[in-house]
Amino acid sequence: MMSSKLLKFIAFGLLVMLCQAQESAPLNPADMNKTGMLPPHTKVLGERAVAAFAKKDWAGARKAYLEMLELDDGNALIWANLGAVEQQAGDVKRAIECFENSVQFNPKLAASWTALGLLVQRQGDAYRAISCFTRAIHEEPEDARAHNYLAITVKGLGWTDAAEAELQKAIDLQPDYGISHFNMALMLLERRPPATELARRHYEKALSLGVARDEVVERRLKE
């Protein structure tokens, strides 16, 4: 019998994206509520933090963001980036606290909701994770990743129809999102009876998009 576990979550990729918001955020105030803004005169600290993060110098990155918080301790973007640092450093509890602060100061920051959902899901709190991913989707309905993560979480609770629906949304929103195709292939193979040919199409699409081959899936496709 095939494992019900879906593809592993991807490591956070939001640190640089959030840092870039300082210079690339649009002028529309409504849009800025979605991305946030870093405090004025923090460009040097931001560059130092990103450079340290790239070198996996978590202490250096943490120090830079803490200095930025001294300028604005209610800035959601800084808390989010500090959360990413703490997550990479292995301090899950502190990372969760940082992302909680981030969404408290700016509830419209979808990336922080997604990051928080990933962390609490990994701690086994599926229902809170669902709440976080749902809120992320509310703020950014076209975020295919959030739909994929929500699918994985509800699948873990046995809600297969909801999982398939969320995966289909992810695929519709981003057809070149290989992970969602891979996960859909897994879902289709677990149907009774399995939808083998449709699963094969999604699996082959995932491979064409760079997802690694999986021996279990390939064995099931040959049955």
Side-chain angles (χ1 to χ4, degrees):
M1 182 176 179
M2 189 170 183
S3 169
S4 62
K5 184 177 181 181
L6 296 184
L7 193 67
K8 293 180 180 179
F9 288 113
I10 297 179
F12 291 115
L14 60 97
L15 178 87
V16 175
M17 180 274 291
L18 291 174
C19 287
Q20 290 174 339
Q22 183 176 26
E23 295 183 356
S24 62
L27 296 178
N28 186 326
D31 290 339
M32 287 200 302
N33 285 336
K34 298 285 188 181
T35 60
M37 290 287 288
L38 295 177
H41 314 303
T42 58
K43 182 177 180 180
V44 173
L45 283 172
E47 291 174 349
R48 186 191 306 168
V50 171
F53 192 92
K55 297 176 182 177
K56 299 184 179 181
D57 175 10
W58 313 130
R62 180 186 298 112
K63 183 175 183 295
Y65 284 122
L66 289 174
E67 288 183 30
M68 293 171 74
L69 284 174
E70 291 179 2
L71 299 175
D72 184 359
D73 63 0
N75 188 286
L77 214 53
I78 301 173
W79 280 112
N81 284 329
L82 181 58
V85 171
E86 300 297 0
Q87 186 272 335
Q88 292 290 343
D91 192 339
V92 175
K93 181 180 179 181
R94 178 59 175 158
I96 289 175
E97 291 173 353
C98 290
F99 286 116
E100 287 174 337
N101 284 336
S102 178
V103 297
Q104 176 184 348
F105 291 121
N106 185 358
K108 295 184 177 296
L109 200 57
S112 289
W113 285 111
T114 298
L116 182 58
L118 287 167
L119 287 169
V120 298
Q121 195 275 347
R122 286 168 176 168
Q123 286 197 321
D125 194 344
Y127 291 103
R128 189 182 181 195
I130 289 171
S131 176
C132 291
F133 294 137
T134 301
R135 181 57 184 266
I137 291 169
H138 171 76
E139 300 299 341
E140 291 291 344
E142 296 185 0
D143 184 356
R145 293 187 315 153
H147 286 287
N148 180 69
Y149 298 148
L150 179 57
I152 293 172
T153 307
V154 299
K155 173 61 170 62
L157 295 174
W159 304 346
T160 55
D161 290 344
E164 280 196 29
E166 290 301 322
L167 285 174
Q168 189 59 57
K169 287 178 184 178
I171 291 169
D172 291 342
L173 288 167
Q174 189 175 335
D176 62 350
Y177 188 14
I179 292 171
S180 58
H181 284 284
F182 183 92
N183 285 342
M184 181 64 87
L186 289 176
M187 292 289 303
L188 294 169
L189 287 172
E190 289 188 3
R191 282 185 183 178
R192 292 293 176 265
T196 306
E197 288 308 312
L198 186 55
R200 188 189 312 279
R201 291 180 211 167
H202 282 286
Y203 179 66
E204 291 177 351
K205 180 67 173 179
L207 295 181
S208 72
L209 292 168
V211 177
R213 291 185 175 276
D214 186 280
E215 293 182 4
V216 176
V217 173
E218 295 191 356
R219 184 168 63 250
R220 284 296 304 276
L221 288 172
K222 293 177 181 178
E223 293 178 354

